[in-house]
Coordinates of all heavy atoms in Angstrom, one line a residue:
T1 N 0.8 -1.2 0.0 CA 0.0 0.0 0.0 C 0.9 1.2 0.0 O 0.6 2.2 -0.7 CB -0.9 0.0 1.2 OG1 -1.7 -1.2 1.2 CG2 -1.8 1.2 1.2
F2 N 1.9 1.3 0.8 CA 2.8 2.4 0.9 C 3.4 2.7 -0.4 O 3.5 3.8 -0.9 CB 3.8 2.2 2.0 CG 4.9 3.2 2.0 CD1 4.7 4.5 2.2 CD2 6.2 2.8 1.8 CE1 5.7 5.5 2.2 CE2 7.3 3.8 1.8 CZ 7.0 5.1 2.0
I3 N 3.9 1.7 -1.1 CA 4.6 1.8 -2.4 C 3.6 2.4 -3.4 O 4.0 3.2 -4.2 CB 5.3 0.5 -2.8 CG1 6.3 0.1 -1.7 CG2 5.9 0.6 -4.2 CD1 6.9 -1.3 -2.0
L4 N 2.4 1.8 -3.4 CA 1.5 2.3 -4.4 C 1.1 3.7 -4.3 O 0.9 4.4 -5.2 CB 0.2 1.4 -4.3 CG 0.2 0.0 -4.9 CD1 -1.0 -0.8 -4.5 CD2 0.3 0.0 -6.4
E5 N 1.1 4.2 -3.0 CA 0.7 5.6 -2.8 C 1.7 6.6 -3.3 O 1.3 7.7 -3.8 CB 0.4 5.8 -1.3 CG -0.8 5.2 -0.8 CD -1.0 5.3 0.7 OE1 -0.1 5.9 1.4 OE2 -2.1 4.9 1.3
D6 N 2.9 6.4 -3.2 CA 3.9 7.3 -3.7 C 5.2 6.6 -4.0 O 6.0 6.2 -3.1 CB 4.2 8.4 -2.6 CG 5.0 9.6 -3.1 OD1 5.9 9.4 -3.9 OD2 4.6 10.7 -2.8
F7 N 5.4 6.3 -5.2 CA 6.5 5.4 -5.7 C 7.9 6.1 -5.4 O 8.8 5.5 -4.8 CB 6.4 5.2 -7.2 CG 7.2 3.9 -7.6 CD1 6.6 2.7 -7.5 CD2 8.4 4.0 -8.2 CE1 7.3 1.6 -7.9 CE2 9.1 2.9 -8.6 CZ 8.5 1.7 -8.5
E8 N 8.0 7.4 -5.7 CA 9.3 8.1 -5.5 C 9.7 8.2 -4.0 O 10.8 8.0 -3.6 CB 9.3 9.4 -6.2 CG 9.2 9.4 -7.7 CD 9.2 10.8 -8.3 OE1 9.3 11.7 -7.6 OE2 9.1 10.8 -9.6
L9 N 8.7 8.6 -3.2 CA 9.0 8.7 -1.8 C 9.3 7.4 -1.2 O 10.2 7.3 -0.3 CB 7.7 9.3 -1.1 CG 7.8 9.5 0.4 CD1 9.0 10.5 0.8 CD2 6.5 10.0 1.0
S10 N 8.6 6.3 -1.6 CA 8.9 5.0 -1.1 C 10.4 4.6 -1.4 O 11.1 4.1 -0.5 CB 8.0 4.0 -1.8 OG 6.7 4.3 -1.7
A11 N 10.8 4.8 -2.6 CA 12.2 4.5 -2.9 C 13.2 5.3 -2.1 O 14.2 4.7 -1.6 CB 12.5 4.8 -4.4
E12 N 12.9 6.6 -1.9 CA 13.8 7.4 -1.0 C 13.9 6.9 0.4 O 14.9 6.8 1.0 CB 13.4 8.8 -1.1 CG 14.2 9.8 -0.3 CD 13.6 11.2 -0.3 OE1 12.7 11.5 -1.1 OE2 14.1 12.1 0.5
Q13 N 12.7 6.7 1.0 CA 12.6 6.3 2.4 C 13.2 4.9 2.6 O 14.0 4.7 3.6 CB 11.2 6.3 2.9 CG 10.6 7.7 3.0 CD 11.2 8.6 4.1 OE1 12.3 9.1 3.9 NE2 10.5 8.7 5.2
L14 N 12.9 4.0 1.8 CA 13.4 2.6 2.0 C 14.9 2.5 1.8 O 15.6 1.7 2.4 CB 12.7 1.6 1.0 CG 11.2 1.4 1.3 CD1 10.6 0.5 0.2 CD2 11.0 0.8 2.7
K15 N 15.4 3.4 0.9 CA 16.9 3.4 0.7 C 17.6 3.9 1.9 O 18.6 3.4 2.3 CB 17.2 4.3 -0.5 CG 18.7 4.4 -0.8 CD 18.9 5.4 -2.0 CE 20.4 5.5 -2.3 NZ 20.7 6.4 -3.4
K16 N 17.0 4.9 2.6 CA 17.6 5.4 3.8 C 17.6 4.4 4.9 O 18.5 4.2 5.7 CB 16.8 6.7 4.3 CG 17.0 7.9 3.4 CD 16.2 9.1 4.0 CE 16.4 10.3 3.2 NZ 15.6 11.5 3.8
I17 N 16.4 3.7 5.0 CA 16.3 2.6 6.1 C 17.3 1.5 5.8 O 17.9 1.0 6.7 CB 14.9 2.1 6.2 CG1 13.9 3.3 6.6 CG2 14.7 0.9 7.1 CD1 12.5 2.9 6.6
K18 N 17.4 1.1 4.5 CA 18.3 0.0 4.2 C 19.7 0.3 4.5 O 20.6 -0.5 4.8 CB 18.1 -0.3 2.7 CG 19.0 -1.5 2.2 CD 18.7 -2.8 3.0 CE 19.6 -3.9 2.6 NZ 19.4 -5.1 3.5
Q19 N 20.1 1.6 4.3 CA 21.5 2.0 4.6 C 21.9 1.8 6.0 O 23.1 1.7 6.4 CB 21.7 3.5 4.2 CG 21.7 3.7 2.7 CD 21.7 5.2 2.3 OE1 21.5 6.1 3.2 NE2 22.0 5.5 1.0
I20 N 20.9 1.7 6.9 CA 21.2 1.5 8.4 C 21.7 0.1 8.6 O 22.5 -0.2 9.5 CB 19.9 1.7 9.2 CG1 19.4 3.2 9.0 CG2 20.2 1.5 10.7 CD1 18.1 3.4 9.7
G21 N 21.3 -0.9 7.7 CA 21.7 -2.2 7.8 C 20.6 -3.2 8.3 O 20.8 -4.4 8.4
V22 N 19.4 -2.6 8.5 CA 18.3 -3.5 8.9 C 17.8 -4.3 7.8 O 18.1 -4.1 6.6 CB 17.1 -2.7 9.5 CG1 17.6 -1.9 10.7 CG2 16.5 -1.8 8.5
T23 N 17.0 -5.4 8.1 CA 16.4 -6.3 7.1 C 15.1 -5.6 6.6 O 14.3 -5.2 7.5 CB 16.2 -7.7 7.7 OG1 17.4 -8.2 8.1 CG2 15.6 -8.6 6.6
L24 N 14.9 -5.6 5.3 CA 13.7 -5.1 4.7 C 12.8 -6.2 4.2 O 13.3 -7.0 3.4 CB 14.0 -4.0 3.6 CG 14.3 -2.6 4.1 CD1 14.5 -1.7 2.9 CD2 13.2 -2.0 4.9

């Protein structure tokens, strides 16, 4: 649902979270 609502914002936010090292 989150990805469908805003594709560009999803990519930006998930990239930041992934850089921390957590599992997505």
Side-chain angles (χ1 to χ4, degrees):
T1 304
F2 170 60
I3 299 174
L4 283 170
E5 288 178 353
D6 195 319
F7 202 84
E8 292 183 1
L9 180 62
S10 304
E12 179 185 349
Q13 292 290 80
L14 292 177
K15 182 180 178 181
K16 289 181 181 179
I17 295 174
K18 181 60 183 173
Q19 287 173 349
I20 301 172
V22 301
T23 301
L24 279 181

